[in-house]
Amino acid sequence: MPKLFRYRFIFFAVAAICLYSCTQYKNAFINRHFHNVTGRFNAYFYAKEAIKDGVMKIETDNKEDYNKLLPVFIYPTKESTKNTFDKMDRAIKKASACIQKHAIKDKQTKVEIPNTGRWIDDCWMTIGKAHFYKREFFSGIEAFEYVQAVYKTKQKYEAWLWMMKTYNELNSLTQSLTYINLIKNDKKFPVEYKGHFEALYSEFYIKQGAYDEAIKKLLEAVKFTKQRAYVARYHFILGQLYEMKEDAQKAKIHYHLCIKNKPIYDMVFYAKMKESLLHKDPASIAKAKKELLAMTKD
């Protein structure tokens, strides 16, 4: 076979394979693989990054009132959420494009064949989260309900968590309880989501003023949470809750554990201040005063 002909043959063969792979209306390995790869590294990647950037801005701009019981999670207010609309809208746009272009669909009905695309359920979750952070809660619920109804992946469990999160934020605690019971009774609930669940469960109790139960759940959240920023926050809140119960010894323990997990500078300062106010011996008070005075210079 002449070299030029051989190159042309290879070119047209590769082109044919690419065209064959591009179709969304064939549920075969090569098609799924093509759409999984292109979907992940094109639209879904940028959607996920947009959410990450938006959440980072929300947390950076957040102003805590350390003299009040901190919320378990940092969410935007009705006013501050507008500062991240561009990022959340970008996330929705990119995730929607991924679903539109890379979901494997039935040739006759043109409807998605569930559980055939690796990143499609993640895209639906991204859309739901973006709506949540825009405080468009009912649009978020629609996306989460779709995921829990259609997919058999672990994203079903993540959707349950975000449904619980949304109903907590709406103060629809009866609705939250529905998902609490679903999660508690499902033996397949992923361990990696356990910390998030227990923290949401604690938030559920705090909203009712059931602080004893909230403490139990937040202690469980600490056990299953790996991110030190969250662990530090949970310990700070535990310190506050124990203070409210007038248990100074346990409050001091948790403020100290908060500091050990190296949170943001403001939280360290207030944890040290609150810990110092609970000291009774003069030596500890003097030491704490010296540390706080040194920190005020910054």
Side-chain angles (χ1 to χ4, degrees):
M1 181 185 292
K3 187 179 290 186
L4 181 60
F5 181 79
R6 186 165 65 247
Y7 287 153
R8 285 179 178 175
F9 176 80
I10 292 169
F11 172 79
F12 285 115
V14 170
I17 290 169
C18 288
L19 287 170
Y20 176 82
S21 303
C22 282
T23 180
Q24 294 173 260
Y25 300 104
K26 192 169 183 65
N27 186 16
F29 172 79
I30 191 169
N31 302 78
R32 292 195 301 271
H33 183 69
F34 172 84
H35 287 288
N36 285 343
V37 171
T38 52
R40 178 184 181 183
F41 293 107
N42 290 325
Y44 174 60
F45 172 81
Y46 293 108
K48 188 171 67 171
E49 288 301 302
I51 285 277
K52 190 188 295 182
D53 291 344
V55 171
M56 187 179 295
K57 181 166 179 55
I58 288 165
E59 293 180 351
T60 302
D61 293 349
N62 181 58
K63 303 299 180 187
E64 304 277 17
D65 185 348
Y66 291 96
N67 294 312
K68 295 180 180 178
L69 182 62
L70 293 188
V72 178
F73 299 97
I74 298 171
Y75 301 140
T77 62
K78 289 179 181 178
E79 293 74 30
S80 66
T81 189
K82 296 171 185 176
N83 298 332
T84 57
F85 269 18
D86 58 335
K87 293 176 174 58
M88 298 307 166
D89 285 340
R90 177 175 169 78
I92 292 168
K93 182 179 178 180
K94 291 294 183 181
S96 299
C98 185
I99 293 167
Q100 185 64 32
K101 294 178 181 178
H102 299 294
I104 302 298
K105 300 176 182 179
D106 182 89
K107 193 172 183 178
Q108 300 299 321
T109 63
K110 306 293 189 282
V111 174
E112 178 196 348
I113 303 171
N115 305 294
T116 53
R118 173 65 183 84
W119 306 103
I120 304 304
D121 49 356
D122 295 276
C123 285
W124 280 111
M125 285 301 303
T126 298
I127 291 169
K129 291 174 187 178
H131 280 300
F132 175 90
Y133 285 116
K134 289 182 72 180
R135 299 188 69 82
E136 297 170 349
F137 296 124
F138 294 103
S139 295
I141 286 170
E142 286 181 6
F144 301 140
E145 282 184 335
Y146 180 78
V147 173
Q148 69 159 1
V150 171
Y151 297 101
K152 297 177 182 178
T153 59
K154 69 179 183 180
Q155 271 63 38
K156 176 184 81 172
Y157 300 107
E158 190 183 13
W160 287 356
L161 287 173
W162 279 80
M163 292 287 280
M164 185 179 166
K165 186 189 287 281
T166 306
Y167 284 123
N168 276 0
E169 188 65 3
L170 287 167
N171 281 310
S172 299
L173 300 181
T174 304
Q175 296 283 2
S176 295
L177 188 58
T178 300
Y179 291 94
I180 288 169
N181 290 329
L182 276 173
I183 292 167
K184 284 169 65 178
N185 295 323
D186 195 308
K187 294 179 180 178
K188 294 181 180 179
F189 186 75
V191 175
E192 66 191 272
Y193 294 152
K194 183 79 170 164
H196 194 178
F197 170 62
E198 296 293 350
L200 283 168
Y201 207 163
S202 180
E203 180 185 63
F204 168 83
Y205 280 124
I206 287 171
K207 285 179 175 288
Q208 299 173 73
Y211 297 132
D212 286 342
E213 296 302 319
I215 286 170
K216 291 176 187 175
K217 292 301 172 185
L218 209 49
L219 287 169
E220 285 297 304
V222 167
K223 291 180 188 176
F224 290 97
T225 303
K226 294 180 180 179
Q227 298 99 320
R228 295 181 75 174
Y230 291 116
V231 173
R233 186 177 190 83
Y234 298 162
H235 278 303
F236 191 96
I237 296 169
L238 282 163
Q240 291 180 304
L241 290 170
Y242 278 118
E243 265 200 273
M244 291 164 69
K245 286 171 57 66
E246 298 183 351
D247 190 334
Q249 191 58 38
K250 286 184 179 176
K252 280 195 295 183
I253 289 169
H254 286 286
Y255 287 133
H256 184 68
L257 288 169
C258 169
I259 296 162
K260 282 188 71 175
N261 277 281
K262 299 180 179 179
I264 60 172
Y265 194 85
D266 284 4
M267 188 175 284
V268 172
F269 181 84
Y270 279 96
K272 283 189 175 184
M273 185 171 70
K274 286 178 174 292
E275 185 184 14
S276 69
L277 291 170
L278 296 168
H279 287 311
K280 292 183 179 179
D281 61 293
S284 296
I285 293 170
K287 182 184 176 184
K289 183 179 178 181
K290 186 178 179 181
E291 288 177 354
L292 289 166
L293 286 169
M295 291 180 76
T296 57
K297 292 176 183 177
D298 293 333

